[in-house]
Amino acid sequence: VAQRNNVVYDAKRGLSFVAFDAAYRGGFQTPLLPWIIDHCHGDVLGQVLSFDTNILAAAECTLFNQLTVIPIVYYPLFFGITGYVQNLDADASLARAKAQFTTLCIRNWKFWIPANFLQFCLLPNEWQVPYTCAMGFIWNVILSASAGDARVEGAASPSKTR
């Protein structure tokens, strides 16, 4: 995972991203994607927009994922797991989340809204998880470069580690 200003690879930081991605993609997203597809058929958007049902369904899946799952599940898990593995206490992890949440959400939406829309619009169900894993690898490089090292950012001083 991307690491700036480090001559030596920070294995603990890298492990924090691996642990987060395994928990989110493996433990949460894999069962969530079929649920989203089964429950978002374009009916809600179809009440206010007149488009092809497949386009409306893909838009509903994307909007549900990006506007509900990402802020409520993804980022709390991200800041909690990466903070914990990088030895931050709860207060330091929360301070880091408050400092970076908005910027990372906007960056996330710029990358994932088009990626999710194409995914839900074009891919059969059996390719949903492999696609998100491949795109997730690219996203993790962006996220790692954007979120930085939890222990160096000022959100965590030595007194704020656990």
Side-chain angles (χ1 to χ4, degrees):
V1 183
Q3 296 190 21
R4 297 176 275 168
N5 304 325
N6 290 339
V7 176
V8 178
Y9 180 77
D10 184 346
K12 194 165 204 173
R13 182 174 179 273
L15 176 63
S16 74
F17 280 84
V18 169
F20 160 69
D21 204 56
Y24 179 73
R25 285 200 206 293
F28 185 77
Q29 190 178 47
T30 299
L32 178 69
L33 286 175
W35 186 92
I36 291 173
I37 292 165
D38 286 345
H39 289 84
C40 296
H41 301 280
D43 302 334
V44 174
L45 290 177
Q47 293 176 15
V48 294
L49 299 171
S50 179
F51 282 99
D52 177 82
T53 305
N54 292 331
I55 301 288
L56 294 173
E60 279 184 12
C61 289
T62 300
L63 291 171
F64 178 80
N65 190 43
Q66 291 302 316
L67 301 179
T68 304
V69 175
I70 297 306
I72 294 172
V73 177
Y74 181 88
Y75 278 116
L77 271 176
F78 171 75
F79 287 112
I81 291 172
T82 59
Y84 179 81
V85 173
Q86 293 185 57
N87 294 320
L88 297 185
D89 67 12
D91 290 337
S93 289
L94 184 58
R96 180 174 172 240
K98 286 179 180 179
Q100 296 182 348
F101 180 81
T102 302
T103 301
L104 289 178
C105 261
I106 292 168
R107 191 166 286 147
N108 177 90
W109 294 331
K110 287 178 180 178
F111 179 84
W112 278 108
I113 286 176
N116 275 169
F117 182 75
L118 290 173
Q119 162 195 344
F120 291 124
C121 196
L122 301 175
L123 294 177
N125 289 352
E126 63 269 14
W127 287 101
Q128 298 287 321
V129 171
Y131 174 84
T132 59
C133 288
M135 296 304 285
F137 176 77
I138 297 166
W139 171 247
N140 277 347
V141 172
I142 295 167
L143 181 62
S144 178
S146 302
D149 189 336
R151 295 167 296 170
V152 189
E153 293 174 353
S157 64
S159 63
K160 291 287 186 183
T161 58
R162 55 175 173 81

